[in-house]
């Protein structure tokens, strides 16, 4: 299980992507990931609809291209849900 705690007005796609990356970096093949916002008392359980290897590859490839996408566009372009 991976937990990430934020203290922000609103959880964003960037926060979700970040939490999924932490799950991958912790070495879990498919961890349960919780993202909690202290300020709003919002708790999300996150899953990635693609393998973590593919997810990481997509992130790296998108950062290396000249056309960097914002987080929402990245999610839409790669057709995965979180």
């Amino acid at each position: 299980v991976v937990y990430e705690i934020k203290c922000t007005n609103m959880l964003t796609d960037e926060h979700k992507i970040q939490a999924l990356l932490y799950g991958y970096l912790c070495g879990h093949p498919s961890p349960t990931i919780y993202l909690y916002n202290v300020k709003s008392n919002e708790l999300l359980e996150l899953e990635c609809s693609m393998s973590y290897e593919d997810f990481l590859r997509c992130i790296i490839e998108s950062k290396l291209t000249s056309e960097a996408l914002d987080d929402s566009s990245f999610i839409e372009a790669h057709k995965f849900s979180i």
Side-chain angles (χ1 to χ4, degrees), residues 1 5-6 10 15 22-23 34-35 40 42 47 53 57 59-60 64-65 69-70 72 80:
V1 177
I5 299 172
K6 294 287 190 185
M10 181 176 64
H15 297 137
Y22 293 153
Y34 294 102
L35 179 58
S40 67
E42 182 179 8
E47 293 180 9
E53 291 80 9
R57 181 183 45 75
I59 290 174
I60 291 169
L64 294 177
T65 64
L69 300 173
D70 64 42
S72 296
F80 70 90

Side-chain angles (χ1 to χ4, degrees), residues 1-3 26 28 31-34:
V1 177
V2 175
Y3 294 92
C26 286
H28 300 290
T32 301
I33 300 168
Y34 294 102

Side-chain angles (χ1 to χ4, degrees), residues 8-76:
T8 184
N9 290 327
M10 181 176 64
L11 293 174
T12 65
D13 288 337
E14 180 180 6
H15 297 137
K16 295 172 188 176
I17 292 170
Q18 210 173 46
L20 288 170
L21 280 172
Y22 293 153
Y24 179 80
L25 293 172
C26 286
H28 300 290
S30 58
T32 301
I33 300 168
Y34 294 102
L35 179 58
Y36 178 67
N37 186 3
V38 174
K39 286 180 91 171
S40 67
N41 198 33
E42 182 179 8
L43 177 65
L44 301 177
E45 182 177 349
L46 304 177
E47 293 180 9
C48 186
S49 62
M50 63 174 59
S51 73
Y52 279 91
E53 291 80 9
D54 289 342
F55 177 69
L56 186 59
R57 181 183 45 75
C58 285
I59 290 174
I60 291 169
E61 286 175 358
S62 73
K63 295 298 179 183
L64 294 177
T65 64
S66 59
E67 297 178 19
L69 300 173
D70 64 42
D71 296 320
S72 296
S73 299
F74 172 81
I75 290 169
E76 178 65 28

